[in-house]
Amino acid sequence: MISIGNISKAYAATPVLKNCSFTVDKGEVVVICGPSGSGKSTLIQCVNGLESIQSGQVRIGEISVHDPHTNLSMLRRKVGMVFQHFELFPHLTVLGNLCLAQRKVLGRSREHATDRALELLARVGLADQAYKYPSQLSGGQQQRVAIARALSLDPEVMLFDEPTSALDPEMVGEVLEVMVALARDGMTMIVVTHEMGFARMVADWIVFMDAGEIVEKSRVEQFFSCPESHRAKAFLASITRSHPTQDRAERPVSAQEETVHTSQHASSGNRGAGTNQDPSGLVF
Ligand SMILES: Nc1ncnc2c1ncn2[C@@H]1O[C@H](COP(=O)(O)OP(=O)(O)OP(=O)(O)O)[C@@H](O)[C@H]1O
Ligand SMILES: [Mg+2]
C-alpha cells in the first residue's frame, strides 16, 4: 500500500535521508525508531509530501506522492497525521476542531460532521469533552482529540510522529491505548516512537534508522530478540540501560513500558499555521 523507494534528501550539503526504502502493506503497523537526528521525522513527512525529496519515490496505492502533478490535498485526505505537539486549533472547541476539515474538505453537512465527530470522540474516550477548548484539556486528552480529528476524514493510512513524547508520563498510556485499538482495528500505520512496549504489542515491522539511513527493517520479534545490526543492538542496549530494573523477556507487555524521551526537538517541515491550512498539510 505504501512504497518508499530509495529516497534521498539533503538540507544544503548535509544529507538527512540516504537511499531509504521500505514498504507497508495494507493493515500493517510499522514502527520507526532510532537516535535523535537520525531522520525519522523527515522520513515520515516525506510520506505525505510535507517534505520534498531529491531522489527516489513514495507511492501510496497508485499515487506517486512527489510527482509534481499529484494533488497533495486529495492525497492527504487519505493520510491522517498526528504530531508530537497536537497542533489543535486553539480558537475552536474540540467539536469545532473535528468538524472543520470534514465540512471544508469533505463537504459534509454540519449534522453529518457533528455525528461523525461525536462518534470519534466516544471512540477515544472523550465524549464528554466536545464543547471544551484545547486549553481546557490535559495533554493526553488533546492528543486523543488530535487522533480523532485525523480520523474524521476517514483516512486509509495514519502517520504518527512521536505522539506521546511531549506528554507527562501518566498520560502516555491513554494515548497508546487509543493507538493500540486503532492498530487492532486494522488501520495501516507508520509510527515514529520510542515506546518499545507499544511496538512489541502492535508493530509488524520495526524500521531502525541511524544517520539518515535505514539500517534495519526487521519483524518485530526478530528486532527485539536478535537485531541484525550492531547499531540497533546499541540502541536497544541504551533503552535497557535507561530502564535497568525492567527485564525485557519476562515482564508483561504493556503499551506504556520502556518510555524513552530522547528529544523534545519539534519536527521541522513546511506545514503551515495559517487559518486555511490543516497541520497535516490539507489546504482548504
Ligand atoms: N529544516 C531543516 N533544515 C536543516 N536541517 C534540518 C531541518 N530539519 C531537520 N534537519 C536535520 O535533519 C536531520 C534529521 O532530522 P529529523 O528531525 O528528521 O530527525 P529525528 O530522527 O526525527 O530526530 P528526533 O528524534 O530528535 O525527533 C537532523 O540532523 C536535523 O538537524
Ligand atoms: Mg523527530
Side-chain angles (χ1 to χ4, degrees):
M1 173 162 207
I2 303 173
S3 148
I4 295 166
N6 282 312
I7 65 172
S8 294
K9 179 178 180 71
Y11 287 111
T14 312
V16 289
L17 296 177
K18 302 174 200 164
N19 277 320
C20 296
S21 300
F22 68 94
T23 56
V24 187
D25 287 342
K26 191 169 164 52
E28 281 189 335
V29 177
V30 171
V31 161
I32 303 178
C33 63
S36 181
S38 55
K40 305 178 299 293
S41 294
T42 308
L43 178 63
I44 203 170
Q45 290 185 41
C46 290
V47 173
N48 71 349
L50 278 174
E51 287 283 1
S52 61
I53 57 177
Q54 268 113 33
S55 61
Q57 69 164 351
V58 178
R59 298 188 76 83
I60 298 184
E62 293 306 304
I63 302 172
S64 177
V65 175
H66 296 274
D67 182 326
H69 301 294
T70 296
N71 180 336
L72 283 179
S73 211
M74 290 286 286
L75 173 88
R76 288 172 187 151
R77 292 181 196 184
K78 299 181 180 202
V79 184
M81 183 142 191
V82 175
F83 301 93
Q84 188 176 9
H85 293 291
F86 328 138
E87 315 270 356
L88 297 172
F89 294 117
H91 61 290
L92 296 178
T93 61
V94 165
L95 194 59
N97 267 282
L98 264 71
C99 288
L100 184 67
Q102 292 189 71
R103 300 203 61 208
K104 299 272 187 189
V105 177
L106 299 184
R108 286 181 179 160
S109 67
R110 182 186 301 275
E111 195 183 25
H112 183 179
T114 302
D115 285 351
R116 181 71 179 133
L118 293 174
E119 190 185 327
L120 287 165
L121 285 175
R123 188 165 162 192
V124 300
L126 294 172
D128 51 349
Q129 308 291 329
Y131 297 98
K132 287 194 176 164
Y133 286 88
S135 61
Q136 297 172 302
L137 302 180
S138 71
Q141 289 173 324
Q142 289 186 60
Q143 193 59 298
R144 285 186 280 151
V145 172
I147 294 172
R149 180 177 62 178
L151 292 173
S152 73
L153 297 182
D154 304 327
E156 293 170 17
V157 173
M158 285 285 286
L159 309 177
F160 294 85
D161 188 0
E162 299 211 40
T164 58
S165 62
L167 299 177
D168 290 340
E170 69 270 21
M171 290 170 193
V172 170
E174 67 193 47
V175 172
L176 291 179
E177 242 174 64
V178 168
M179 293 170 63
V180 168
L182 200 54
R184 294 199 165 145
D185 280 352
M187 178 61 79
T188 307
M189 293 164 55
I190 302 180
V191 186
V192 175
T193 186
H194 293 114
E195 295 291 345
M196 293 295 126
F198 168 82
R200 282 149 58 102
M201 274 178 93
V202 298
D204 297 290
W205 299 92
I206 306 285
V207 166
F208 173 71
M209 294 187 72
D210 193 14
E213 289 176 306
I214 293 181
V215 177
E216 177 163 346
K217 180 192 175 191
S218 302
R219 281 279 176 196
V220 69
E221 320 80 56
Q222 151 103 28
F223 183 78
F224 287 112
S225 61
C226 189
E228 283 166 18
S229 65
H230 70 274
R231 284 191 272 181
K233 279 182 194 145
F235 177 76
L236 285 173
S238 74
I239 286 179
T240 308
R241 266 200 305 281
S242 57
H243 294 78
T245 57
Q246 293 185 324
D247 180 327
R248 194 178 301 277
E250 290 176 13
R251 69 184 181 281
V253 174
S254 111
Q256 198 176 345
E257 65 187 348
E258 298 179 32
T259 306
V260 180
H261 297 278
T262 53
S263 162
Q264 294 297 312
H265 152 87
S267 55
S268 63
N270 53 3
R271 62 182 186 276
T275 52
N276 62 347
Q277 187 167 351
D278 175 276
S280 66
L282 268 172
V283 179
F284 46 82

